[in-house]
């Protein structure tokens, strides 16, 4: 094996267990050879014992040498010393042949494949020769025994290396998948944060910002009415107070993440009727609302978007158009729902509207951008048609799933006082 593989292998728990078992096997086989020589009172028993002790000492020193796991040259020198002492032991007693099997694993573990296979072959040849010299015969069993042991050792080590490489590939693949999943989650989180910021910006613009602008206009009107017309001023103050209450409800809705209060109180057509009535009552604009087609139950997101677009369009009409009349039409079709807001005001050139946030916008321009973003988020379209002196028409169309007809909306109750919402 390569030095990197040796280092990596030495860190695996399975390999540490196998190495411990291998060391115990070597110690047991050396003890067996020494004990049998002493028990049989062999003439060379002292030499066998001394060689076994020397071989064990050299073998036991190897695991304590760090260079054996990082240097192929150091491992080769150590293996040569072990092999030399083993050859001497094999020459003294035929029991030394059993040490060839653990030596196969040691050689395959410490040497690269191109060096370990010749070493295993040489050890097999020495084992066969030594055993044949002691038994004075060379049979098929004498040759096949060490050869099969070498083949088993090579197969086990190569199989372990293949399994280890496969497990490493799987581990790296899992790490890459985990990293990719983390990156994807981070990207989705960032996209979600940006989408939520955009949504909140639209909500704040279409509700709180417009409501605060209305309150400002009403209080300014009340200020102009004082002190000559205290009754008129009081009416403006009451309308501003009602608008402030509505804005407070919207702010609390943001915290609770609920649907708009207007939609909580009834259907979308009823909410649009109340919006038109409130706008007409708090401004000089005559607003008419009509519903075309059979009302159907729309997803909450569609209803919220249509209501907010209607609020923003009417607020722009009140603040910028100088119109005397506005028409709001909600049309239910088979697969779409459309909202049209048309006024007879001064009109403008849509292409010349500055982008929100630009130097020319002066803090305005968010209304049309927010309306387009709402329509685009629901795969819908928003078209603005206008020209100087020809009024303005805002048309939004949203695709919607086919649903059962909704119950006819009840006759709307008189709407509470509320200030007109203005767009910037």
């Amino acid at each position: 094996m390569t030095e990197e593989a040796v280092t990596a292998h030495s860190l695996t728990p399975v390999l540490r267990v196998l190495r411990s078992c291998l060391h115990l096997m070597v110690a047991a086989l050396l003890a067996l050879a020494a004990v049998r020589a002493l028990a049989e009172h062999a003439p060379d028993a002292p030499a066998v014992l001394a060689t076994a002790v020397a071989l064990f000492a050299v073998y036991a020193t190897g695991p304590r040498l760090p260079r054996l796991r990082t240097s192929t040259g150091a491992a080769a020198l150590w293996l040569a010393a072990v092999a030399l002492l083993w050859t001497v032991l094999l020459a003294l007693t035929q029991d030394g042949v059993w040490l060839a099997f653990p030596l196969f694993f040691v050689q395959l573990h410490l040497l690269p494949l191109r060096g370990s296979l010749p070493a295993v072959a040489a050890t097999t040849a020495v084992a066969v020769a030594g055993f044949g010299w002691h038994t004075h015969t060379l049979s098929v069993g004498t040759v096949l025994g060490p050869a099969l042991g070498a083949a088993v050792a090579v197969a086990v080590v190569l199989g372990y290396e293949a399994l280890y490489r496969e497990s490493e590939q799987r581990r790296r693949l899992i790490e890459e998948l985990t990293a990719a999943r983390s990156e994807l989650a981070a990207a989705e989180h960032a996209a979600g944060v940006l989408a939520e910021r955009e949504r909140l910006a639209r909500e704040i613009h279409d509700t709180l910002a417009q409501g605060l602008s209305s309150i400002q206009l009403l209080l300014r009107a009340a200020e102009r009415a004082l002190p000559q017309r205290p009754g008129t001023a009081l009416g403006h103050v009451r309308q501003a107070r009602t608008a402030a209450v509505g804005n407070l409800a919207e702010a609390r809705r943001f915290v609770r993440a609920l649907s708009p209060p207007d939609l909580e109180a009834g259907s979308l057509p009823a909410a649009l009727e109340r919006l038109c009535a409130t706008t007409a009552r708090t401004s000089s604009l005559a607003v008419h609302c009509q519903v075309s087609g059979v009302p159907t139950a729309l997803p909450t997101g569609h209803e919220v978007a249509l209501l907010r677009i209607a609020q923003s369009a009417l607020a722009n009409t009140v603040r910028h158009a100088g119109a005397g009349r506005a028409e709001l039409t909600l049309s239910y079709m088979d697969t779409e729902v459309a909202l049209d807001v048309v006024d007879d005001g001064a009109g403008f050139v849509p292409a010349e509207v500055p982008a929100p946030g630009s130097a020319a916008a002066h803090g305005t321009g968010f209304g049309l951008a927010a309306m387009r973003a709402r329509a685009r988020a629901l795969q819908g379209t928003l078209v603005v048609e206008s020209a100087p002196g020809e009024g303005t028409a805002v048309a939004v169309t949203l695709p919607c799933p086919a649903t059962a007809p909704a119950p006819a909306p009840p006759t709307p109750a008189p709407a509470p006082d509320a200030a007109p919402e203005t767009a910037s």
Side-chain angles (χ1 to χ4, degrees):
M1 294 186 292
T2 62
E3 297 177 5
E4 292 79 7
V6 171
T7 303
H9 276 50
S10 63
L11 301 177
T12 59
V14 174
L15 189 58
R16 281 197 290 267
V17 173
L18 293 177
R19 287 171 57 191
S20 299
C21 294
L22 187 65
H23 299 335
L24 291 175
M25 181 186 297
V26 171
L29 292 176
L30 288 174
L32 175 64
V35 169
R36 287 193 60 177
L38 293 174
E40 293 175 359
H41 302 286
D44 51 2
V48 172
L49 178 60
T51 305
V53 171
L55 178 56
F56 181 77
V58 173
Y59 182 86
T61 304
R64 293 173 174 79
L65 299 176
R67 285 186 57 82
L68 291 184
R69 295 188 294 271
T70 59
S71 173
T72 304
L77 290 176
W78 178 76
L79 285 173
V82 171
L84 178 61
L85 290 173
W86 169 70
T87 303
V88 173
L89 181 65
L90 181 60
L92 295 174
T93 174
Q94 66 179 11
D95 291 332
V97 72
W98 304 113
L99 285 167
F101 189 68
L103 284 180
F104 295 152
F105 286 100
V106 176
Q107 292 164 347
L108 291 168
H109 174 63
L110 292 180
L111 297 177
L113 191 62
R114 63 179 180 274
S116 60
L117 292 181
V120 169
T123 302
T124 304
V126 173
V128 171
F131 190 73
W133 183 71
H134 282 288
T135 58
H136 305 289
T137 182
L138 192 63
S139 61
V140 176
T142 304
V143 176
L144 285 181
L148 288 177
V152 169
V154 171
V156 169
V157 171
L158 294 181
Y160 175 81
E161 288 185 356
L163 290 176
Y164 180 80
R165 285 193 299 270
E166 183 177 355
S167 66
E168 282 296 294
Q169 291 176 355
R170 290 182 178 180
R171 180 185 62 80
R172 287 192 294 269
L173 179 60
I174 292 174
E175 291 178 353
E176 292 174 358
L177 291 176
T178 303
R181 182 182 299 175
S182 300
E183 293 175 358
L184 179 60
E188 291 178 348
H189 175 72
V193 169
L194 292 177
E196 182 65 11
R197 287 178 179 174
E198 183 180 357
R199 185 190 70 83
L200 288 177
R202 293 195 303 265
E203 290 289 331
I204 292 173
H205 173 272
D206 292 342
T207 56
L208 299 182
Q210 294 176 358
L212 292 174
S213 179
S214 296
I215 293 172
Q216 179 187 15
L217 294 175
L218 289 169
L219 292 178
R220 186 178 299 171
E223 183 181 12
R224 288 196 300 266
L226 290 175
Q228 290 82 4
R229 293 175 293 162
T232 302
L234 179 60
H236 290 322
V237 171
R238 286 176 177 172
Q239 291 180 2
R241 180 175 177 274
T242 302
V245 171
N247 272 21
L248 179 60
E250 289 288 351
R252 288 173 175 169
R253 182 184 65 81
F254 289 152
V255 176
R256 297 193 305 267
L258 298 177
S259 60
D262 289 337
L263 291 177
E264 292 177 358
S267 63
L268 175 61
L272 293 176
E273 289 279 0
R274 287 192 296 271
L275 172 64
C276 292
T278 301
T279 304
R281 185 171 54 255
T282 57
S283 67
S284 59
L285 183 67
V287 187
H288 179 256
C289 179
Q290 63 179 354
V291 178
S292 172
V294 179
T296 58
L298 298 175
T300 302
H302 287 59
E303 294 188 343
V304 171
L306 292 172
L307 177 61
R308 294 306 185 211
I309 291 174
Q311 289 175 332
S312 184
L314 288 178
N316 283 341
T317 299
V318 170
R319 184 174 182 183
H320 302 294
R325 182 176 179 81
E327 293 283 342
L328 187 150
T329 304
L330 178 64
S331 303
Y332 289 94
M333 293 169 280
D334 292 338
T335 59
E336 295 178 333
V337 59
L339 176 70
D340 299 282
V341 181
V342 182
D343 66 60
D344 58 358
F348 63 100
V349 179
E352 295 180 358
V353 176
S358 63
H362 301 293
T364 64
F366 288 95
L368 289 176
M371 287 189 283
R372 288 194 177 94
R374 287 184 184 277
R376 187 168 54 250
L378 297 174
Q379 288 74 49
T381 58
L382 185 137
V383 178
V384 179
E385 296 180 354
S386 182
E390 298 182 8
T392 301
V394 177
V396 58
T397 303
L398 300 179
C400 59
T403 54
T411 302
D417 291 341
E421 297 178 346
T422 61
S424 55

